Amino acid sequence: MTASSSGLRDHLGYWLRRLSDEVHSRFERELAQHGVTVSQWAVLITVHRGDATTTREVARYMDIDAGAVSRLVDRLAAKGLMTREPDPDSRRTLRLALTDTGRDLAPRLAEIADRNDAHFFASLDPAQRHQLEEWIRRLLGEAHPQPTPPPTT
């Protein structure tokens, strides 16, 4: 054993993973009571809020593979929560839409997400919470920089 070597608990990544696992596991258990996984919820709420409306847009928004989103949409459609509808502006594009059941369920699941966040982060005041989010976003941005868009002329 080398005393000068850093240990597992000396790494911030370890603590971030532990926190992430705890937040995710609790949320997963709550969502399971409604027959939805965290990944399915992410697609459902993204479409519900209008943040993205196609498989490709959802994949970009969530920063995951479009094939994974397509499989999640298949599962949500099988549960009667989401449909794919033709885009009136493009024959090649299918728009994602929530069914009536999906529209009713999405806000209830968002409340569960809010309660889960409160459970873990209520000890932070709003400014601290905002600062933590900013730090995490900054670190993620530094690890995965977005391409700079070309200048508009």
Side-chain angles (χ1 to χ4, degrees):
M1 180 172 92
T2 306
S4 63
S5 298
S6 60
L8 175 65
R9 293 181 175 191
D10 296 322
H11 294 274
L12 185 55
Y14 167 77
W15 294 109
L16 287 172
R17 169 51 71 194
R18 287 268 321 268
L19 178 60
S20 176
D21 288 349
E22 291 291 325
V23 172
H24 182 91
S25 294
R26 185 175 188 277
F27 190 37
E28 190 81 59
R29 285 190 305 274
E30 293 290 322
L31 291 177
Q33 297 174 25
H34 299 276
V36 176
T37 67
V38 172
S39 297
Q40 291 167 359
W41 169 80
V43 173
L44 193 70
I45 200 67
T46 297
V47 172
H48 173 72
R49 289 177 36 90
D51 294 323
T53 59
T54 67
T55 299
R56 182 172 286 136
E57 289 172 359
V58 171
R60 238 186 337 263
Y61 188 81
M62 292 174 54
D63 195 23
I64 64 173
D65 179 71
V69 172
S70 184
R71 289 185 295 277
L72 289 166
V73 171
D74 289 344
R75 290 182 191 111
L76 289 165
K79 293 176 183 188
L81 300 174
M82 185 172 284
T83 62
R84 291 178 174 96
E85 300 175 352
D87 183 336
D89 298 328
S90 171
R91 289 188 284 188
R92 297 186 323 178
T93 303
L94 293 174
R95 294 274 169 206
L96 303 176
L98 301 185
T99 63
D100 289 342
T101 303
R103 275 190 296 281
D104 291 343
L105 183 60
R108 294 192 336 232
L109 299 180
E111 288 174 10
I112 293 169
D114 293 343
R115 283 194 308 268
N116 195 61
D117 268 13
H119 175 82
F120 287 97
F121 305 111
S123 65
L124 302 176
D125 67 42
Q128 290 171 321
R129 184 179 166 146
H130 178 74
Q131 184 64 61
L132 177 60
E133 182 180 337
E134 288 299 312
W135 287 337
I136 292 169
R137 286 176 183 254
R138 182 171 122 205
L139 292 169
L140 285 171
E142 289 172 1
H144 300 286
Q146 297 297 315
T148 305
T152 56
T153 55

